[in-house]
């Protein structure tokens, strides 16, 4: 047990990073769940990761602006492709999203195959390094999150297919580089599942509460017991989500949306 490691200088930026991810992913997760396109987050996140890996393969720094542009560009191309596929084959959209995810994931593996540090870099992008987030990284993410939320709540009904996928691409690209693919997916889906039977008046607040509780418990436990932070937070999010869902309305008594 590592009591000395419970430093606010480490935990506060990490928790703030989690809150920024949750700020956009909780409302978007509810939309994703209602549209039955659950794996869109994994697909877009993996495509953005592929962009970062490709930039790294070409010799650019993974944290540099070129890698950021590559990640966003790849994610937007993925959003454009998803928009076209939804229009062309709406009946198999979820299956096509899964295929896109597998192609992006395997493409990333091929790009790092001959890189001696590629496996470590790929692992960091998947599992994340949330405890190493710096306060300097949070400000641009906070600005982007504010813009995304303003567009989401102000123009959501007028965004259209590509508007939805495009905003999603920006949100996911930023989040992946903060917390990793696994935590991005858990942040999107777990709160949405946990609060789906609650009244529409409190559903969003419950979703945010699930996410915040999962992050703060997971980060504390990961530092306390010296465990991988991303993996622990995924588990605490799931456990908190199960608890909140169990304490909420039963399916037969749930309030209609």
């Amino acid at each position: 047990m590592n009591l000395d490691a419970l430093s606010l200088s480490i935990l506060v930026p990490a928790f703030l990073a989690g809150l920024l991810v949750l700020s956009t992913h909780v409302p978007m997760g509810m939309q994703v769940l209602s549209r039955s396109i659950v794996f869109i987050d994994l697909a877009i996140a993996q495509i953005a990761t592929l962009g970062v890996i490709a930039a790294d393969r070409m010799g650019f720094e993974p944290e540099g602006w070129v890698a950021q542009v590559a990640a966003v560009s790849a994610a937007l191309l993925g959003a454009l492709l998803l928009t076209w596929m939804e229009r062309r084959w709406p009946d198999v959209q979820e299956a096509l999203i899964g295929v896109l995810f597998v192609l992006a994931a395997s493409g990333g593996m091929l790009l790092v195959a001959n890189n001696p540090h590629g496996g470590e870099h790929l692992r960091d992008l998947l599992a994340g390094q949330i405890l190493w987030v710096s306060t300097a990284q949070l400000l641009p993410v906070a600005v982007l999150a504010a813009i995304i939320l303003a567009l989401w709540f102000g123009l959501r009904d007028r965004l259209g297919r590509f508007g939805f996928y495009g905003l999603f691409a920006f949100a996911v690209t930023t989040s992946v580089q903060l917390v990793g693919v696994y935590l991005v997916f858990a942040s999107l889906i777990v709160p949405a599942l946990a609060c789906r039977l609650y009244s529409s008046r409190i559903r969003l607040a419950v979703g945010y509460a699930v996410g915040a509780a999962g992050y703060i418990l997971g980060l504390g436990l990961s530092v306390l017991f010296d465990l991988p932070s991303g993996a622990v937070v995924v588990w605490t999010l799931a456990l908190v989500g199960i608890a909140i869902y169990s304490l909420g309305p039963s399916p037969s008594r749930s309030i209609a949306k």
Side-chain angles (χ1 to χ4, degrees):
M1 190 173 290
N2 192 3
L3 292 173
D4 294 335
L6 283 173
S7 169
L8 290 179
S9 63
I10 295 175
L11 291 177
V12 170
F15 182 58
L16 290 176
L19 292 182
L20 286 175
V21 172
L22 290 168
S23 69
T24 56
H25 278 52
V26 171
M28 286 185 170
M30 294 176 183
Q31 181 72 8
V32 162
L33 202 61
S34 69
R35 294 174 66 163
S36 299
I37 48 173
V38 172
F39 292 108
I40 180 181
D41 190 53
L42 277 177
I44 293 290
Q46 198 65 59
I47 293 169
T49 299
L50 185 62
V52 175
I53 293 171
D56 180 58
R57 180 66 185 267
M58 290 185 286
F60 297 101
E61 289 293 326
E63 293 81 18
W65 68 269
V66 174
Q68 306 302 315
V69 171
V72 171
S73 300
L76 286 174
L77 284 173
L80 188 62
L81 181 58
L82 286 169
T83 303
W84 178 76
M85 289 193 305
E86 183 178 332
R87 187 181 296 114
R88 182 70 176 81
W89 299 292
D91 54 324
V92 290
Q93 176 73 348
E94 184 75 350
L96 292 172
I97 290 172
V99 171
L100 198 59
F101 163 74
V102 170
L103 288 172
S106 57
M109 293 181 68
L110 290 172
L111 286 177
V112 302
N114 297 317
N115 185 341
H117 303 292
E120 181 181 351
H121 182 40
L122 185 58
R123 184 192 64 202
D124 289 345
L125 286 169
L126 292 174
Q129 292 288 322
I130 189 172
L131 287 181
W132 301 111
V133 170
S134 66
T135 52
Q137 291 175 269
L138 298 178
L139 182 57
V141 175
V143 172
L144 182 59
I147 294 171
I148 289 172
L149 287 171
L151 292 172
W152 179 259
F153 287 110
L155 301 172
R156 180 175 51 190
D157 295 335
R158 290 179 284 171
L159 285 175
R161 288 189 182 96
F162 182 69
F164 169 72
Y165 286 127
L167 274 185
F168 200 87
F170 274 104
V172 169
T173 301
T174 307
S175 301
V176 162
Q177 296 179 68
L178 274 185
V179 302
V181 173
Y182 299 151
L183 258 180
V184 165
F185 183 73
S187 300
L188 182 87
I189 297 302
V190 172
L193 284 172
C195 68
R196 66 190 182 92
L197 298 182
Y198 283 78
S199 164
S200 58
R201 292 174 300 172
I202 63 170
R203 192 175 299 144
L204 187 60
V206 173
Y208 280 132
V210 168
Y215 268 90
I216 199 165
L217 284 172
L219 289 170
L221 289 172
S222 69
V223 173
L224 197 62
F225 294 103
D226 195 23
L227 293 169
S229 53
V232 176
V233 175
V234 168
W235 274 87
T236 52
L237 275 171
L239 292 173
V240 172
I242 291 169
I244 295 301
Y245 180 84
S246 301
L247 294 171
S250 66
S252 60
R253 303 198 318 266
S254 62
I255 300 175
K257 296 180 181 179

